[in-house]
Amino acid sequence: MSRIAGCFADLAARGRTALIPFVTAGDPDLATTVPLMHAMVAAGADLIELGVPFSDPMADGPVIQRASERALAHHTRLRDVLDMVRKFRERDAATPVILMGYLNPIEILGYAAFAAQASAAGVDGILVVDAPPEESGELVTSLRQAGIDLVYLLAPTSDEARIRTIGAVASGFVYYVSVKGVTGAGHLDLADVDAKLAEIRRLIPLPVGVGFGIKDAETAARVARMADAVIVGSAIVGRIEALTMKPEHIPAAIGDFLAGLRAAIDGADRA
Amino acid sequence: MAINHAEAGSEAQGQTQSAAQSGAQAKVQSVTQSEDQTAAPSEAYHWPDARGHFGPYGGLFVPETLMRPLDELTRAYARYLQDPDFLAELDADLRDYVGRPSPIYHAERWSRELGGAQIFLKREDLNHTGAHKVNNTIGQALLAKRMGKTRIIAETGAGQHGVASATVAARLGLECVVYMGEIDVARQEANVYRMRLLGAQVVAVKSGSRTLKDALNEAMRDWVTNVDNTFYIIGTVAGPHPYPAMVRDFQAVIGREARAQMLERLGRLPDALVACVGGGSNAIGLFYPFLEDAGVELIGVEAAGEGLASGHHAAPLCAGRPGVLHGSRTYLMEDSDGQIIETHSISAGLDYPGVGPEHAWLKDSGRARYVAVTDEEALAAFHTLTRTEGIIPALESSHALAQVAKLAPTLRKDQAILVNLSGRGDKDMHTVAAREGLTL
């Protein structure tokens, strides 16, 4: 069983919803990311999504675009991101780490080389925003051979046929994008999300995480009542941005914010 | 929109593969050689495949939210391509609104000065709005209307595609939002004003390098967010399937007309076609109806900027490598970590780090050849055509002209080059004046 599957099985056994924070690797600098990852785990994160910076993040809103630009300003490369995961693993062998990004930095490295390096670094899953199943056959093969889960997005526009297509290749969990829009977009309609999750669960036997538009503890709690995982990105990255000049304060500040989300999610799980 | 090869007759059949195999060595040759029936039989050019691939290039590299809308677009496009009413409306608009067919002009004085092949200009600069861009926006806007979309979005670099989109949106009464990099907004003020006059909202994009590629990112973000009522008119043969094929088909009117016009004028096909390549829509539009005419050499001209060796250029086919950007796999300008790098060209319309995937395939297959000319060479050609023929070309088209100036003297006087004069130079007055230290 993969580290991601094991993590969700354990949470399910305890009746808990996963909290998955997203941060961009190398934002605001290379030194902050690993201490931040540990602080997030201490505050109640169950899995971590680590964004790989890309020059042209076409699915991201302004907050995560700016995080990518900050990380690229001091040349955070894919190999630096893998080094961060390797360093994180020195102290944390349990928390699954998922890399989230765009295909081109992986493409230029080569799928097989990337899969081998990511696996050696301790990466558990990959989410490539611009590689739908139709275009990721070779990538799937390479990652499977390396024991890495390939996490896919599902969207409000995904119909039954597409949900089945994705279900046939996804592993670990699937990520439901709760709004039509980019990361950090407006408010999600919880009734719509609930209905779509029911359809996804009927067609895909994997845990379902929900993200895009979860900005506060109240929304996190409400999403926790329907999803297996609550994914929070822009709300965290926005707080990192506010502390760019004081990076030493970032791990504690993000830890406090996540602790609030954790308490709200736990409250929802007990209800 | 079915590509009409009627004029070609049977002699053009079966030539594509042999052309691809002979590849880069293919020399400019007369059309009589291309009629050689001894060439091995081969299948007709059939790209892209059903999923939008041109060999290893093209495809659908987009976020999940766009997969269904792109599928709907692919199906709608396939349907209207067969719809006589749609095609009749498109033809009528191209005739009455755009002013087609555009003429072929024999640049006799320039040909004489160069002392080689006869040079013919396909006058896309005479179209309504001053460039080839409108051929495509007319087609996509009619499609948007048939699909019940009420809002048009577009990206633009130099502003020509933005103007062409705002123009058709005004005519059809559709809301129009144009995304344009902040740097391009500053250097193309006149076109920004034209778009606003036409009723479009121009959004200055402040992310990334603040040029065309970032405008395309922002338009994609808008589309993901407003996908229910919005039609995204991509301005070139880039982006995810079906855009590269669809934009090609709308622009192929250039090559269909030119092919018939050259046959009527010369009784044969030209020996070479030359067109500038940024995203590559005017080049594909000209080349496509000639792909199976093996005797016609196809030459795409990229922007070498300050020179390929300087690194300051926009020539992914000549000096880049394959990767994935903006929904398709193609040649890109990228660094060793797969980050897209900033490009440079004096011509805003060529200042783009990618290129249409079909050009990537035509390059690899050898059917077309790609070269690059510098800012200086393009400027020289700009002045030459202006003074010699009384035609002020766009800086984009001036890149093609610069290649013609190199090619023509190497050919005989009874040979012919057809160059796509894709746009007029009025928009470039400020840029050219600034190079000469003048402020207008």
Side-chain angles (χ1 to χ4, degrees), chain B residues 250-263:
Chain B
F250 286 135
Q251 290 293 1
V253 66
I254 302 172
R256 283 200 306 278
E257 284 177 8
R259 199 172 182 287
Q261 288 165 321
M262 292 303 285
L263 285 170

Side-chain angles (χ1 to χ4, degrees), chain B residues 303-350:
Chain B
E306 294 163 13
L308 292 183
S310 73
H312 297 142
H313 60 80
L317 289 167
C318 292
R321 56 198 282 190
V324 172
L325 179 70
H326 293 153
S328 60
R329 180 179 287 120
T330 186
Y331 281 82
L332 299 175
M333 303 267 296
E334 57 183 332
D335 67 16
S336 57
D337 301 312
Q339 306 295 346
I340 307 307
I341 57 178
E342 292 187 21
T343 51
H344 168 82
S345 169
I346 190 171
S347 133
L350 302 183

Side-chain angles (χ1 to χ4, degrees), chain B residues 59-316:
Chain B
L60 264 167
F61 294 89
V62 294
E64 174 60 23
T65 310
L66 292 180
M67 290 299 286
R68 201 177 76 189
L70 283 165
D71 183 52
E72 284 166 5
L73 177 60
T74 302
R75 281 187 278 116
Y77 174 59
R79 186 175 125 218
Y80 288 115
L81 208 56
Q82 309 294 328
D83 178 347
D85 287 346
F86 177 83
L87 297 177
E89 190 176 0
L90 178 62
D91 284 348
D93 278 0
L94 290 175
R95 184 186 65 230
D96 301 337
Y97 191 67
V98 177
R100 304 204 70 91
S102 66
I104 293 278
Y105 170 72
H106 182 194
E108 285 184 76
R109 190 164 169 234
W110 193 34
S111 304
R112 209 161 44 237
E113 283 193 2
L114 289 170
Q118 302 308 305
I119 300 162
F120 293 84
L121 311 179
K122 178 61 173 165
R123 297 292 307 274
E124 292 298 301
D125 60 318
L126 297 177
N127 291 340
H128 180 42
T129 71
H132 72 290
K133 292 291 187 187
V134 72
N135 301 328
N136 169 49
T137 60
I138 288 269
Q140 288 200 49
L142 289 180
L143 194 57
K145 202 176 74 171
R146 304 255 170 163
M147 290 175 75
K149 305 292 184 183
T150 56
R151 183 173 175 268
I152 294 290
I153 59 171
E155 84 294 337
T156 198
Q160 292 304 105
H161 174 59
V163 167
S165 298
T167 298
V168 297
R171 178 162 172 263
L172 296 176
L174 299 169
E175 182 189 348
C176 181
V177 178
V178 178
Y179 291 95
M180 189 169 185
E182 194 177 41
I183 290 176
D184 293 330
V185 167
R187 62 182 174 184
Q188 298 287 343
E189 261 178 285
N191 269 343
V192 173
Y193 186 61
R194 284 169 85 192
M195 287 183 262
R196 289 186 172 142
L197 280 177
L198 289 159
Q201 182 195 347
V202 180
V203 178
V205 176
K206 297 173 167 61
S207 58
S209 62
R210 296 175 291 148
T211 58
L212 177 55
K213 79 175 178 70
D214 310 284
L216 217 151
N217 290 330
E218 205 58 33
M220 283 279 185
R221 292 175 189 128
D222 179 313
W223 198 31
V224 167
T225 308
N226 302 295
V227 67
D228 293 332
N229 72 341
T230 297
F231 190 104
Y232 179 16
I233 301 188
I234 293 185
T236 189
V237 285
H241 181 62
Y243 284 99
M246 180 170 68
V247 176
R248 173 195 71 194
D249 291 348
F250 286 135
Q251 290 293 1
V253 66
I254 302 172
R256 283 200 306 278
E257 284 177 8
R259 199 172 182 287
Q261 288 165 321
M262 292 303 285
L263 285 170
E264 190 188 331
R265 177 79 65 103
L266 299 182
R268 65 179 184 85
L269 297 177
D271 299 280
L273 306 181
V274 182
C276 65
V277 177
S281 69
N282 91 78
I284 282 286
L286 179 64
F287 293 173
Y288 186 57
F290 291 87
L291 285 179
E292 296 180 5
D293 298 315
V296 180
E297 188 180 23
L298 310 178
I299 304 168
V301 186
E302 295 193 300
E306 294 163 13
L308 292 183
S310 73
H312 297 142
H313 60 80

Side-chain angles (χ1 to χ4, degrees), chain A residues 53-58 60 65 69 77 79 104 107-108 129-130 132 134-135 155 157-158 162 166 180-181, chain B residues 51 53 59-61 63-65 68 207-208 213 217 221 224 228 323-324 329 334-335 337-340:
Chain A
F54 183 51
S55 53
D56 294 78
M58 71 173 172
D60 285 299
Q65 288 172 41
E69 289 178 15
R77 300 160 302 177
R79 69 189 89 158
N104 204 48
E107 177 119 342
I108 203 161
V129 177
D130 56 351
E134 289 83 348
E135 301 288 359
T157 53
S158 307
R162 285 213 57 77
I166 286 165
K180 289 175 196 152
Chain B
R51 296 219 321 257
H53 297 102
L60 264 167
F61 294 89
E64 174 60 23
T65 310
R68 201 177 76 189
S207 58
K213 79 175 178 70
N217 290 330
R221 292 175 189 128
V224 167
D228 293 332
V324 172
R329 180 179 287 120
E334 57 183 332
D335 67 16
D337 301 312
Q339 306 295 346
I340 307 307

